[in-house]
Amino acid sequence: MTTKNKLITASILSSSSIAAISLINKCIKISATSKSLLDKSQMNCFHWRMGNIYYTTSGSGKPLLLVHDLDSAASSYEWHKIRSALEKKYTVYSLDLLGCGESEKPCLTYTNYLYVQLISDFIKSVIGHRTDVISSGASGSFMIMACSNNPDLFDRIMLINPDSINICSQLPGPYSKYYKRFLDFPIIGTLLYHIAVSKSSLRKSFTDCYFTDPKAVKESIIDTYYESAHLGFSPKSVYACVRCNYVNCNISNALKKIDNSIYLIGGEKKDQIKDIFLEYVDCNPAIEYSLISDTKHLPHMEKPAELLANIHTFFS
């Protein structure tokens, strides 16, 4: 075979492989979203400058904003076990962050500052009043920064299993930037993302890190997170930015100057949670915290009654 023929053959095989991977990606997306477990037709829309943000509002009383963990598979579904109880006492707002759930998922670089602006604009434009806030996981960092920048928008703040201050301070390194660029490739990058958020990967995260009792991880939870991870134009963009530390920010100075009441809730079985809380208290001795027994990363899904008791105590 001549060199020319070899190049033609290689080109055909390469094109065939790319076409096959593209087809696989499309099939995965269609399959993941076929059950329509998340329905934005029942949600309100905040037309934000970076993309449409979908949210729910229910109940009456003082406003309470619920902000889910910053993860490509997460959404406001995270609060479904406590939302109905909270709306008896509060006007409850729960949104899908930009790049998550039913909200728009543009292909861009997501940063801590972007989410700080989103939360601040949402409170100003939609809630219109100073509000209490409960946030989960990695969302705690931009909640702290938003409160530091605009303290008049916030009243009391509860952070559930926030990231350590050390993790929040980790910035993108040279390898992170290359990894993000690779994930940004439309076909190969999408396939890698689909592998990272496969049902088996999500199930492992829940059984190993999110829940203490693996038997409590229902298939409906996995299906909903799986669907959320595949909705929209570019769900992999948030995944890439979280993995590569683009959403991180050093929050220590902001924590020191915040005068709002801050309460930390942690899963007792979550790794190093006590050490993480002590980091926060070192920055701001006024911060209080408590642990919910036999829970890990998502106590509001694993033991909602215990979390509600803590919420009513703190926000009373």
Side-chain angles (χ1 to χ4, degrees):
M1 183 182 292
T2 65
T3 302
K4 182 179 179 181
N5 288 337
K6 288 180 180 179
L7 290 172
I8 293 173
T9 302
S11 177
I12 292 172
L13 291 174
S14 177
S15 299
S16 299
S17 298
I18 291 173
I21 294 172
S22 180
L23 180 60
I24 290 170
N25 286 336
K26 289 180 181 179
C27 290
I28 290 173
K29 186 178 182 71
I30 291 171
S31 174
T33 58
S34 62
K35 294 183 179 180
S36 299
L37 299 171
L38 297 172
D39 182 11
K40 68 181 178 184
S41 66
Q42 304 301 316
M43 304 175 80
N44 302 302
C45 181
F46 169 43
H47 299 287
W48 194 46
R49 61 182 181 275
M50 301 300 292
N52 290 336
I53 305 299
Y54 284 88
Y55 68 97
T56 62
T57 179
S58 57
S60 60
K62 185 174 181 179
L64 174 62
L65 174 61
L66 305 178
V67 183
H68 62 79
D69 195 2
L70 182 56
D71 183 277
S72 62
S75 69
S76 55
Y77 169 80
E78 186 177 310
W79 306 106
H80 75 283
K81 288 193 175 183
I82 66 171
R83 190 160 40 207
S84 60
L86 290 173
E87 64 190 30
K88 295 175 182 178
K89 190 174 180 180
Y90 307 96
T91 301
V92 180
Y93 297 84
S94 57
L95 53 74
D96 287 350
L97 293 168
L98 188 73
C100 302
E102 291 284 6
S103 290
E104 279 196 57
K105 301 179 179 181
C107 182
L108 51 79
T109 298
Y110 293 79
T111 65
N112 189 279
Y113 180 73
L114 180 146
Y115 286 112
V116 167
Q117 290 300 303
L118 169 58
I119 294 301
S120 299
D121 290 346
F122 185 84
I123 295 174
K124 290 176 186 176
S125 302
V126 177
I127 300 178
H129 299 280
R130 193 176 188 188
T131 184
D132 292 328
V133 176
I134 303 176
S135 74
S136 170
S139 295
S141 65
F142 57 79
M143 206 58 58
I144 292 296
M145 297 304 296
C147 180
S148 176
N149 291 344
N150 297 283
D152 292 340
L153 298 178
F154 298 85
D155 195 354
R156 295 159 296 186
I157 298 174
M158 176 180 284
L159 307 180
I160 301 174
N161 288 313
D163 284 344
S164 74
I165 294 175
N166 180 53
I167 288 178
C168 292
S169 303
Q170 294 176 2
L171 300 178
Y175 294 109
S176 296
K177 294 177 181 179
Y178 292 136
Y179 182 55
K180 182 182 180 300
R181 288 174 187 170
F182 196 74
L183 284 171
D184 285 339
F185 289 151
I187 297 176
I188 300 299
T190 301
L191 179 63
L192 290 176
Y193 171 72
H194 285 164
I195 294 171
V197 296
S198 65
K199 273 194 175 184
S200 59
S201 296
L202 291 173
R203 190 175 291 108
K204 182 174 175 57
S205 293
F206 269 90
T207 56
D208 292 354
C209 305
Y210 294 172
F211 276 38
T212 301
D213 181 9
K215 295 180 181 178
V217 182
K218 306 300 183 184
E219 199 63 24
S220 59
I221 296 175
I222 302 301
D223 286 344
T224 304
Y225 270 69
Y226 186 57
E227 177 179 301
S228 179
H230 291 83
L231 290 171
F233 176 68
S234 183
K236 68 178 181 178
S237 293
V238 161
Y239 173 83
C241 292
V242 171
R243 284 293 303 271
C244 298
N245 299 331
Y246 283 86
V247 296
N248 288 354
C249 178
N250 189 327
I251 64 172
S252 57
N253 289 331
L255 268 177
K256 290 175 183 177
K257 76 174 189 177
I258 285 178
D259 196 35
N260 302 66
S261 295
I262 300 176
Y263 195 81
L264 309 180
I265 294 287
E268 182 192 33
K269 301 294 186 181
K270 184 176 174 67
D271 290 344
Q272 300 180 322
I273 190 62
K274 291 182 181 178
D275 294 333
I276 292 172
F277 284 0
L278 290 177
E279 288 181 359
Y280 281 75
V281 174
D282 284 343
C283 281
N284 188 333
I287 292 176
E288 301 177 89
Y289 66 87
S290 65
L291 300 174
I292 297 181
S293 61
D294 297 320
T295 61
K296 289 185 178 179
H297 190 64
L298 296 172
H300 39 305
M301 292 182 68
E302 191 168 14
K303 284 197 171 182
E306 284 83 344
L307 180 68
L308 283 167
N310 279 271
I311 291 172
H312 292 315
T313 298
F314 176 59
F315 291 122
S316 62

